[in-house]
DNA sequence: CTTCATGCAAAGGATTTGCAGCCTC
DNA sequence: GAGGCTGCAAATCCTTTGCATGAAG
């Protein structure tokens, strides 16, 4: 995968740097992480990297197709590696639990939209709602 | 609908103010608007309202069930009136066009998740991707 | 008159940008 | 070497908060 990074960077005339390697590695290890979490993770295990570098690097990595982001909260975006199979995120607003589903979950939607001239981005999808169990528990509001 | 506003506010011991009326009206007229756009719209047609009032009011209106928000971009959230039928937003990243679909579009997903103990929030859903036509046009990147 | 609501200004969190020096290729 | 990177700090964008004053019920 680091090879992949090096390769893809080279294809674009971009450079392989330790920061880029560390950041990609952090995203892969954390599974789902915000820029902030990536920063913390990188700092914990190695050199001190700057926050702007994290933002700039995540952008580059996303352009290279090595990571993807989705919005699992009303706050910061969450990044994950494209090494994982494409999946849909389902988030409970109550308990914050995140479930992952394969693309088949939304296959009918993809088909319906395709018939309508639209290509759906399945990996970016975040579905909100709440667990049936959580419905019962007291409202945190 | 203003009656509705007055009624619901009263039920909660809250007050009917001109700002709240104007802001709700703005959301209804704009169909899909960010807090900023709501502010501009209100200011254009009447009194000057403060930005914090817009934020606080949108929050109240959402609690009262009169408006809803969803995320149609990586930036500010978009509010719409609940007078409109519940709908799913489909956004093209290329041309920014927003298509609206009825809940039926995702009925299979709702069913699948329900069987799994999860109640999906259909109105909050935003589906990203791109129009088939836009696929052909030059990449803006 | 009792509270809730608004305006204002300052604080905050997240992200972006300009720039000088550093490091890959 | 040349030009892409990075760190740093300042700038933005969006949103929230504290507080005194104003207004709805």
């Amino acid at each position: 995968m680091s090879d992949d990074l090096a390769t893809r960077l080279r294809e674009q005339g971009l450079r392989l740097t330790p920061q880029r390697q560390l950041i990609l590695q952090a995203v892969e290890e954390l599974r789902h992480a915000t820029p902030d979490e990536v920063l913390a993770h990188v700092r914990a295990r190695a050199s001190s990297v700057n926050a702007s570098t994290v933002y700039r690097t995540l952008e580059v990595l996303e352009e290279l197709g090595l990571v993807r982001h989705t919005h699992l909260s009303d706050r910061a975006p969450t990044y994950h590696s494209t090494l994982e199979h494409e999946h849909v995120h389902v988030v409970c607003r109550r308990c914050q639990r995140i479930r992952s589903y394969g693309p088949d979950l939304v296959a009918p939607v993809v088909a319906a939209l395709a018939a309508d001239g639209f290509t759906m981005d399945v990996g970016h999808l975040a579905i909100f709602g709440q667990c049936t169990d959580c419905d019962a528990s007291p409202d945190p509001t």
Side-chain angles (χ1 to χ4, degrees), chain A:
Chain A
M1 64 189 100
S2 274
D3 289 351
D4 209 21
L5 173 58
T7 306
R8 305 232 193 170
L9 284 169
R10 210 166 295 134
E11 289 172 354
Q12 307 296 315
L14 300 178
R15 292 171 187 173
L16 180 62
T17 66
Q19 287 89 336
R20 286 179 173 169
Q21 297 181 83
L22 287 165
I23 292 170
L24 175 54
Q25 192 185 333
V27 172
E28 289 172 352
E29 290 176 11
L30 293 170
R31 309 293 302 271
H32 290 101
T34 61
D36 232 50
E37 294 165 342
V38 169
L39 180 59
H41 191 257
V42 171
R43 284 189 171 160
R45 39 177 48 222
S47 50
S48 87
V49 172
N50 192 274
S52 27
T53 299
V54 171
Y55 285 108
R56 286 190 278 229
T57 299
L58 287 173
E59 196 180 326
V60 170
L61 295 178
E62 188 151 31
E63 277 164 15
L64 296 180
L66 298 173
V67 307
R68 293 235 43 195
H69 83 272
T70 182
H71 301 273
L72 303 186
S73 80
D74 284 356
R75 301 214 150 262
T78 307
Y79 287 80
H80 61 272
S81 162
T82 50
L83 288 179
E84 295 181 48
H85 292 129
E86 180 166 67
H87 56 286
V88 174
H89 297 96
V90 176
V91 188
C92 174
R93 283 215 186 75
R94 217 49 99 66
C95 69
Q96 311 302 319
R97 176 180 161 200
I98 298 173
R99 307 167 185 228
S100 293
Y101 286 84
D104 351 341
L105 176 69
V106 295
V109 181
V110 172
L113 291 177
D116 236 4
F118 189 89
T119 308
M120 175 174 167
D121 177 355
V122 175
H124 187 270
L125 195 66
I127 295 176
F128 286 80
Q130 40 187 260
C131 308
T132 312
D133 296 348
C134 289
D135 276 335
S137 60
D139 192 324
T141 308

